[in-house]
Amino acid sequence: MLDKNKILAIFIYFNKKNIIERNEFKKLIYSSGFIIGKLLDINIRYPNKKYFFGLGKLKEIILIINKFYFKKILINLILKSTQEYNLKKIFKCSILNRTSIILNIFKKRANTNYGKLQVELAYLNYLSTRLVRRWRHLERQKGGIKYISGPGEKQIEIDRRIIKKKITSISNSIQKISGQKKQNIKFRNKYNVPIVSLVGYTNSGKSTLFNLLTNSDFNLKKGYFSTLDTYIRKINKFKFHSNVLLSDTIGFIRNLPDSIKSAFKSTLSEISYSQLILHIIDASNLYFMDYINIVNSILCDINIHNVPVIQVMNKIDKLKNFKIKIDINNINLPIRIWISAKYNLGIETIYNIINLYLFTNKIKMTICIPLKISILLRDIFYSKNIVLKEWSNNGKIYYYNILVTKIVFLSILKKYPVLKKYLK
């Protein structure tokens, strides 16, 4: 009996095979619920403009499709819409590319209304660029208005307008929810409730650590993107003298399609309101340095530069001769800690690190700045929960009485060096 979930997976590489991307492609497929019936590794040096594959590879793929009765083909790249259309006609089966696979996983993982709206927006953004040649009926024309000369409106133009209208509607809904979330963040900042965010490559163990630190029991799904929506919970409060919130965010992945980035931009931007970022890394993965660079690149893309980052090397239980340890930088501050969230190893170290960065060695100072600089820095000060008092005598000069840890203040100075000359 034909298994509808069995698919032909085609991994495309150029000149040199990338083992990291190949393994990731396989995990994406399993996470989306498909079973790899056959995996083809194909080296493409010069893609064919019409079919992407050369004639020899086309014949080889057709033989495999007919032999195993495949109904779906998954390819790890994003083909041009014309190439995809031409291949569908030749192969006589549906084709899914990298974006389609990720969107398929997102659709399964989205639980909240906010998450579902973001997935739908990502799908519509992706669909809007691929209307040409997607369906044959798009070439037809609707008749013009009676007694008015000229051709009618093409179906593709109607579909574009409908999709554009839906995108606008969903974007407005997302913006409204994002506004509510920002209000919540401002409310927390007003009452000095710091936020610690977990970021990391997908499947690095963020959600396991989140459950452990917050005594939560979110159902963790196997595979990539087990967390799609942002969750915020209190960290075990007996560890600190005031409340601390922990935020679990969507997992990152290499070559995240632009349509998905733009849809989840509001979610990712919430990280910038954190007072501390814990970058969770799968220490057992041979290619973890590549994953670190990918996450750092995405953080840079969403303009997060002034939030302190601690690297948390997770899953040390999978390493030989593992041990809990802390790596220190040249100013005696931790930059990397080694733990196992699954077996509760080194978790006390995380509490100590959070306490050090958020509550220990705070300095009190008064900053006197002109209105122009105040406009630039006011939101930054309040987003960091460091303002004790703000006042102005004449509306031209503003005074800020702040209480801040050294590491946070250094991060602000790094981004806004103009502040140095206004310190008292």
Side-chain angles (χ1 to χ4, degrees):
M1 186 177 177
L2 181 64
D3 188 344
K4 293 182 179 179
N5 286 329
K6 275 195 174 182
I7 52 93
L8 170 62
I10 301 178
F11 174 71
I12 310 295
Y13 62 99
F14 301 90
N15 299 327
K16 188 176 180 180
K17 189 188 293 188
N18 190 321
I19 302 299
I20 304 174
E21 289 189 8
R22 187 180 187 273
N23 293 337
E24 185 178 273
F25 179 51
K26 289 168 69 176
K27 288 181 180 179
L28 279 172
I29 292 171
Y30 290 131
S31 298
S32 64
F34 291 111
I35 301 168
I36 298 176
K38 178 77 175 176
L39 177 61
L40 278 182
D41 293 325
I42 298 180
N43 182 7
I44 302 287
R45 292 189 179 183
Y46 307 103
N48 184 287
K49 290 183 180 180
K50 189 173 182 181
Y51 298 108
F52 188 79
F53 300 103
L55 294 179
K57 286 297 177 185
L58 284 175
K59 291 178 182 177
E60 180 184 342
I61 295 169
I62 290 170
L63 287 173
I64 293 172
I65 291 170
N66 294 334
K67 181 179 178 181
F68 295 99
Y69 304 102
F70 289 125
K71 296 297 179 185
K72 279 188 175 67
I73 297 177
L74 268 64
I75 303 175
N76 70 309
L77 294 179
I78 302 173
L79 302 175
K80 293 180 180 178
S81 57
T82 51
Q83 292 171 333
E84 190 174 313
Y85 176 75
N86 292 332
L87 288 176
K88 280 181 182 178
K89 287 204 305 185
I90 291 178
F91 295 153
K92 296 178 182 177
C93 61
S94 61
I95 296 175
L96 300 176
N97 58 38
R98 182 183 178 84
T99 305
S100 302
I101 299 169
I102 294 175
L103 286 173
N104 187 45
I105 299 170
F106 278 18
K107 190 176 180 181
K108 291 181 178 180
R109 300 290 198 247
N111 295 319
T112 65
N113 180 49
Y114 188 50
K116 290 174 182 177
L117 284 172
Q118 289 178 110
V119 173
E120 189 174 356
L121 179 61
Y123 175 72
L124 289 172
N125 283 332
Y126 168 69
L127 185 63
S128 64
T129 63
R130 308 185 74 79
L131 283 176
V132 179
R133 297 178 183 263
R134 188 173 177 87
W135 300 289
R136 296 189 69 87
H137 77 275
L138 295 179
E139 298 169 0
R140 300 175 192 156
Q141 286 185 327
K142 294 249 179 176
I145 301 174
K146 197 175 182 181
Y147 307 120
I148 297 178
S149 61
E153 186 177 29
K154 286 187 177 182
Q155 182 66 42
I156 191 171
E157 292 166 351
I158 296 172
D159 286 2
R160 275 203 189 108
R161 192 172 65 251
I162 291 170
I163 288 176
K164 187 177 179 180
K165 191 175 180 180
K166 285 184 177 179
I167 288 174
T168 302
S169 175
I170 293 171
S171 296
N172 289 338
S173 298
I174 289 175
Q175 194 171 4
K176 186 177 179 181
I177 298 173
S178 297
Q180 293 169 350
K181 284 176 174 283
K182 286 180 182 179
Q183 287 298 322
N184 291 337
I185 290 171
K186 287 181 180 179
F187 180 80
R188 292 172 189 135
N189 289 341
K190 183 179 178 181
Y191 291 96
N192 292 319
V193 181
I195 300 175
V196 177
S197 286
L198 301 180
V199 303
Y201 208 81
T202 184
N203 211 33
S204 60
K206 291 186 295 84
S207 297
T208 303
L209 182 60
F210 180 84
N211 280 344
L212 188 62
L213 295 177
T214 62
N215 287 333
S216 302
D217 57 352
F218 287 112
N219 183 28
L220 304 181
K221 298 172 183 176
K222 290 185 178 181
Y224 282 177
F225 304 113
S226 63
T227 299
L228 187 58
D229 306 296
T230 300
Y231 297 105
I232 298 178
R233 294 290 185 274
K234 287 182 183 178
I235 299 181
N236 302 328
K237 63 180 180 179
F238 63 86
K239 297 290 181 180
F240 312 107
H241 66 264
S242 68
N243 289 326
V244 177
L245 297 178
L246 187 68
S247 171
D248 188 15
T249 58
I250 181 175
F252 297 163
I253 195 168
R254 73 174 61 241
N255 300 327
L256 194 64
D258 290 337
S259 59
I260 294 175
K261 271 186 186 177
S262 61
F264 284 83
K265 188 176 181 180
S266 57
T267 294
L268 294 174
S269 65
E270 291 176 23
I271 301 170
S272 63
Y273 294 95
S274 308
Q275 281 67 51
L276 179 65
I277 292 175
L278 298 181
H279 177 179
I280 314 304
I281 301 154
D282 181 358
S284 66
N285 193 305
L286 294 175
Y287 310 103
F288 71 80
M289 282 305 303
D290 294 277
Y291 294 158
I292 289 173
N293 292 333
I294 291 166
V295 172
N296 289 341
S297 175
I298 294 174
L299 289 176
C300 186
D301 287 344
I302 57 179
N303 203 27
I304 296 176
H305 305 287
N306 61 332
V307 183
V309 179
I310 301 294
Q311 293 182 352
V312 180
M313 306 301 289
N314 191 24
K315 304 185 182 181
I316 61 172
D317 53 283
K318 294 184 178 180
L319 303 177
K320 288 184 178 179
N321 303 319
F322 72 87
K323 65 177 180 177
I324 302 164
K325 61 178 181 176
I326 302 175
D327 297 335
I328 305 293
N329 66 8
N330 56 3
I331 56 172
N332 297 321
L333 287 169
I335 56 169
R336 181 178 286 178
I337 57 180
W338 300 73
I339 68 152
S340 171
K342 185 177 180 180
Y343 294 100
N344 202 358
L345 300 174
I347 304 305
E348 197 64 34
T349 307
I350 292 182
Y351 292 125
N352 294 336
I353 293 298
I354 293 173
N355 196 49
L356 173 67
Y357 273 76
L358 298 184
F359 304 113
T360 306
N361 298 327
K362 285 193 173 183
I363 51 178
K364 190 174 182 179
M365 66 177 73
T366 300
I367 300 174
C368 172
I369 53 179
L371 175 61
K372 186 177 179 180
I373 305 299
S374 176
I375 293 171
L376 177 68
L377 294 173
R378 188 177 187 276
D379 286 344
I380 296 295
F381 288 162
Y382 278 96
S383 70
K384 301 296 179 186
N385 298 317
I386 63 176
V387 179
L388 296 176
K389 186 179 179 181
E390 173 194 351
W391 72 95
S392 174
N393 296 327
N394 54 14
K396 294 181 180 179
I397 303 296
Y398 282 78
Y399 297 87
Y400 291 90
N401 197 354
I402 65 173
L403 182 65
V404 59
T405 57
K406 185 178 179 181
I407 190 69
V408 172
F409 190 67
L410 287 175
S411 68
I412 296 174
L413 283 179
K414 185 178 179 182
K415 190 173 183 182
Y416 302 100
V418 67
L419 182 60
K420 290 180 182 178
K421 66 179 182 180
Y422 297 107
L423 299 180
K424 280 191 176 183

